Amino acid sequence: MEMAERIPGALTTATLTSILTEHRSLMPISIDGVAPTVDNLANGSYRMSKTLYFVTGPKVSSIALDFIRFVQSAAGASILSDTGNLMIAAEG
């Protein structure tokens, strides 16, 4: 991303999260005229996404559980949204 920022007209791959959290001076491109925004992810019009999961074993530390609970909280969802992520309902 650093190199792409220095080369006029460069094209690189990056996630919206990387661009936002690292305060990059890169312009995410639209796909089929649809901008990569959380709203467009939520309404299904922007279809390029990756799902991330928390996977735990039978014994989970209290610190790990606290972190997962925070991420699933309103404050965590707000941070995720601000950084280009969409919170989805927890599975099983």
Side-chain angles (χ1 to χ4, degrees):
M1 288 190 294
E2 289 176 18
M3 190 176 292
E5 287 174 317
R6 291 192 301 261
I7 301 171
L11 182 65
T12 189
T13 59
T15 64
L16 181 58
T17 299
S18 294
I19 293 169
L20 295 175
T21 59
E22 296 177 22
H23 307 286
R24 295 292 183 172
S25 59
L26 298 172
M27 174 66 69
I29 60 172
S30 298
I31 296 177
D32 295 330
V34 180
T37 66
V38 173
D39 287 341
N40 287 341
L41 281 172
N43 69 31
S45 61
Y46 193 83
R47 295 176 283 142
M48 294 292 292
S49 67
K50 181 187 303 184
T51 303
L52 302 175
Y53 297 92
F54 288 114
V55 178
T56 62
K59 292 185 180 183
V60 183
S61 72
S62 62
I63 293 172
L65 284 174
D66 288 345
F67 177 72
I68 292 169
R69 286 185 191 110
F70 173 75
V71 171
Q72 294 174 334
S73 72
S78 177
I79 292 169
L80 287 172
S81 180
D82 290 346
T83 58
N85 297 278
L86 176 65
M87 172 65 82
I88 57 174
E91 296 180 16

